[in-house]
Amino acid sequence: MSKDVAAALRVTVARIEGTLANSPAFTRVDRHFYVVKQGTAYVTIHVLPWEPGRALVRLVAQLARGVEMTPDLAIKLLRLNARLRFGAFGFVSQGSCVVFAHTLLGGETLDQEEILTALHDLSILADEFDDRIVEEAGGERMQDLIDASAAASFFSGLDKPGDWAMEWR
């Protein structure tokens, strides 16, 4: 990685963390990876190197997994894409996921207003459309998947249904 790209990554991370660090909805997951929760939706923020000497900020909300993508749903999403200020709906065949994504150019030109405006639009729309998509095309919202995963993790150490009662004595 060039010095220019490394510098762009540092500046971009500093701008994102400086802008969002005081928000209770913001979590730093890894060095260049963050999550912002809005209602039942989660927007991931991934800072990526981009040549020559730049960084990209990729915002992605997985709206629903296990969706039956029909021609009608695809047309609805494409029509919405034509009207959006930021972001676009997409479909990832692996996992049958409907996503909502947007990319910002990082580095010295990235500013607080740009981060907040794009993140606001994506998070509000993601929270609205995850429910609509699941209602129309099935699947599970990200919140549902996280809740199920947390419950499975919590109960994974118990061999039989009555084991948990022993812990309360």
Side-chain angles (χ1 to χ4, degrees), residues 1-65:
M1 180 180 334
S2 73
K3 288 181 183 180
D4 291 341
V5 171
L9 288 171
R10 279 192 303 277
V11 168
T12 303
V13 164
R15 299 253 165 95
I16 289 169
E17 291 182 4
T19 300
L20 302 173
N22 293 325
S23 169
F26 175 75
T27 302
R28 182 178 185 216
V29 176
D30 204 355
R31 197 171 112 203
H32 296 139
F33 188 69
Y34 310 92
V35 174
V36 175
K37 184 175 185 324
Q38 172 69 41
T40 57
Y42 292 82
V43 178
T44 61
I45 303 170
H46 198 175
V47 180
L48 302 163
W50 187 51
E51 294 292 339
R54 299 301 298 254
L56 295 177
V57 179
R58 187 79 173 136
L59 299 104
V60 179
Q62 178 180 307
L63 303 181
R65 177 187 240 174

Side-chain angles (χ1 to χ4, degrees), residues 142-162:
M142 179 59 95
Q143 181 66 53
D144 300 329
L145 294 168
I146 289 172
D147 289 348
S149 177
S153 175
F154 179 76
F155 291 110
S156 68
L158 304 177
D159 292 334
K160 52 189 183 256

Side-chain angles (χ1 to χ4, degrees), residues 9-10 19 22 32 47-48 56 66 70 73 75 91 96-97 99 101-102 106-107 109 113 127 131 141 144 146 158:
L9 288 171
R10 279 192 303 277
T19 300
N22 293 325
H32 296 139
V47 180
L48 302 163
L56 295 177
T70 63
L73 178 59
I75 289 169
F91 184 72
S96 298
C97 296
V99 297
H102 184 66
T109 60
E113 183 178 7
D127 186 37
D131 296 324
R141 299 171 305 166
D144 300 329
I146 289 172
L158 304 177

Side-chain angles (χ1 to χ4, degrees), residues 14 51 60 69-70 76 82-83 85 87 103 116-118 120 124 148-149 157 165:
E51 294 292 339
V60 179
M69 180 54 71
T70 63
K76 284 179 183 178
R83 299 175 59 192
R85 286 192 307 183
T103 303
L116 290 174
T117 302
H120 177 265
I124 295 297
S149 177

